Amino acid sequence: MQRPPALPLSPVASGFGTPLRRFGIASRAAQTLGIEYLDSVKKALDDLGATWGALAAARSPTEILAVQAAYLQRAGERAAARSAAAGDAMLGLTGAFLRPTALAPAAARPGPAR
């Protein structure tokens, strides 16, 4: 059998869950962004390995410049896509973080009575 608390929770103490919920939202956003960046790094390393193989097989300076230019173009496209995806993820995941919390009823708010 559970006993009721000796002192009822004040509105201040009952609002303690809000920072915890927001911390949970922020940690999920950080985890999602971390996964996105790790995937991007893996793709970049795979592309870099393929580029090194193409550079090793190149027979002339013209081919080397073409391989390097293609790699730089792909790297720039990946960086732009990663930035757009990170921005979208931050906006989507932090919407709840920025949403204001409901105010306590006027009778429960501390302060002078009006």
Side-chain angles (χ1 to χ4, degrees):
M1 180 151 71
Q2 196 173 22
R3 294 174 44 192
L7 297 172
L9 291 175
S10 71
V12 175
S14 63
F16 186 68
T18 301
L20 292 177
R21 281 192 302 276
R22 289 186 174 178
F23 178 74
I25 292 167
S27 65
R28 283 191 300 275
Q31 180 182 11
T32 302
L33 289 175
I35 290 169
E36 289 284 333
Y37 275 94
L38 284 176
D39 287 344
S40 177
V41 167
K42 183 185 180 311
K43 289 177 187 174
L45 289 176
D46 291 343
D47 188 26
L48 185 62
T51 302
W52 275 107
L55 284 174
R59 303 251 181 239
S60 68
T62 306
E63 288 180 48
I64 291 173
L65 286 176
V67 169
Q68 288 177 342
Y71 172 75
L72 289 175
Q73 182 179 4
R74 289 190 309 270
E77 290 171 357
R78 268 195 315 273
R82 182 178 58 234
S83 297
D88 290 343
M90 282 192 283
L91 284 176
L93 292 170
T94 58
F97 183 75
L98 298 175
R99 207 172 294 132
T101 59
L103 295 174
R109 279 189 222 138
R114 293 184 185 181

